Amino acid sequence: MKQRTICPRFEKAISLLSQRWTALVIYQLLLGSQRFNEIQSSIGISGKVLSERLKDLEHQGVVKREVIPETPVIIEYSLTEKGQAMEPILKTIENWSQAWIMEDSDATEKN
């Protein structure tokens, strides 16, 4: 039997998206530029973890951090072109989840 090798780029992409919260941060930023607190409250992530994820995504070229020099300073996060290119992938996962994943409340009602 021939064993198939996994493409290193595919493996790296899956590794990036499979980090806890990462896909949700990207999904939230598909709505447009947002401040740290907006992202944090919308997905319920701790500040420490969100900070780590945003730094990593910025390092990967997926997220752009913009400092707006006002008083007080405003920092907004948005997706780069590379990040925006994930939209069809995440929308496909969203569609699949609507068809196949049951919410906890749905499972409780059926029991």
Side-chain angles (χ1 to χ4, degrees):
M1 188 163 141
K2 199 173 192 178
Q3 189 173 9
R4 189 170 140 180
T5 57
I6 296 176
C7 170
R9 289 181 180 187
F10 178 78
E11 185 177 1
K12 190 172 182 179
I14 292 298
S15 178
L16 172 69
L17 284 175
S18 66
Q19 280 187 311
R20 187 174 169 105
W21 302 105
T22 298
L24 293 176
V25 170
I26 296 167
Y27 183 79
Q28 184 63 31
L29 287 172
L30 287 171
L31 298 172
S33 295
Q34 295 179 42
R35 293 183 189 181
F36 187 93
N37 289 340
E38 292 174 296
I39 301 166
Q40 184 179 18
S41 64
S42 66
I43 61 177
I45 185 174
S46 77
K48 180 183 178 206
V49 174
L50 178 57
S51 180
E52 290 171 2
R53 293 301 173 267
L54 287 169
K55 283 178 186 173
D56 187 39
L57 289 168
E58 188 178 5
H59 177 73
Q60 297 288 335
V62 174
V63 167
K64 178 177 69 172
R65 179 180 186 264
E66 183 179 2
V67 179
I68 302 166
E70 292 184 7
T71 305
V73 172
I74 297 172
I75 299 173
E76 288 189 338
Y77 297 90
S78 60
L79 294 175
T80 62
E81 182 180 354
K82 183 177 181 179
Q84 286 288 341
M86 290 185 187
E87 183 173 17
I89 298 160
L90 294 176
K91 293 295 183 179
T92 299
I93 293 170
E94 178 183 34
N95 292 338
W96 176 84
S97 73
Q98 295 299 317
W100 295 100
I101 303 296
M102 220 182 277
E103 288 186 38
D104 290 340
S105 60
D106 293 341
T108 305
E109 291 171 13
K110 293 185 180 186
N111 286 336

